[in-house]
Amino acid sequence: VQLQASGGGAVQAGGSLRLSCTTSGDIFSVAIMGWYRQAPGKQRDLVATVSARVGITNYAESVKDRFTISRDNAKNTIYLQMNNLTPEDTAVYYCNAHSVIPNNAYNYWGQGTLVTVSS
């Protein structure tokens, strides 16, 4: 299973970036898709998720009101719009797809994309 993430980069504090993650239609149609991040020396933490079909979203408290996760069902792609970035947002961001459907449970990770925010 392939999750193709893109969009990382280096920005100054207060700037914006948009991450994208594309996968196959079979995965995208049923999976809870999301973004996690891992800063140097820290564990990987949830950033945001969006459910399949109806698109219910969930955010970490630290990114609420600054980040927006969305999904484009026609393109099998999710996005993470990140605004008002701070140095504390610096991390490798990982796309995730997981399903808890009986007999079809999985948890897939994409390659990370680095986001660096300078002060």
Side-chain angles (χ1 to χ4, degrees):
V1 172
Q2 190 170 30
L3 300 176
Q4 187 65 43
S6 63
V11 295
Q12 291 189 326
S16 298
L17 284 173
R18 189 177 80 156
L19 307 182
S20 302
C21 176
T22 301
T23 188
S24 67
D26 288 347
I27 297 297
F28 193 82
S29 62
V30 299
I32 298 169
M33 302 289 297
W35 293 96
Y36 291 71
R37 66 186 181 185
Q38 188 167 18
K42 296 189 176 181
Q43 66 182 21
R44 190 174 299 185
D45 291 325
L46 168 73
V47 177
T49 61
V50 58
S51 68
R53 299 186 182 93
V54 296
I56 296 172
T57 58
N58 179 51
Y59 295 93
E61 281 296 324
S62 60
V63 306
K64 278 183 178 179
D65 301 324
R66 298 188 300 122
F67 291 11
T68 302
I69 190 169
S70 61
R71 58 190 296 150
D72 184 333
N73 293 331
K75 296 182 178 180
N76 298 335
T77 299
I78 61 167
Y79 304 97
L80 184 69
Q81 178 66 43
M82 305 185 292
N83 298 327
N84 195 21
L85 286 159
T86 73
E88 288 68 36
D89 296 314
T90 295
V92 177
Y93 284 69
Y94 295 92
C95 179
N96 175 267
H98 74 271
S99 168
V100 295
I101 299 173
N103 299 318
N104 191 29
Y106 51 79
N107 188 36
Y108 301 134
W109 295 95
Q111 89 284 7
T113 185
L114 178 63
V115 172
T116 303
V117 184
S118 59
S119 58

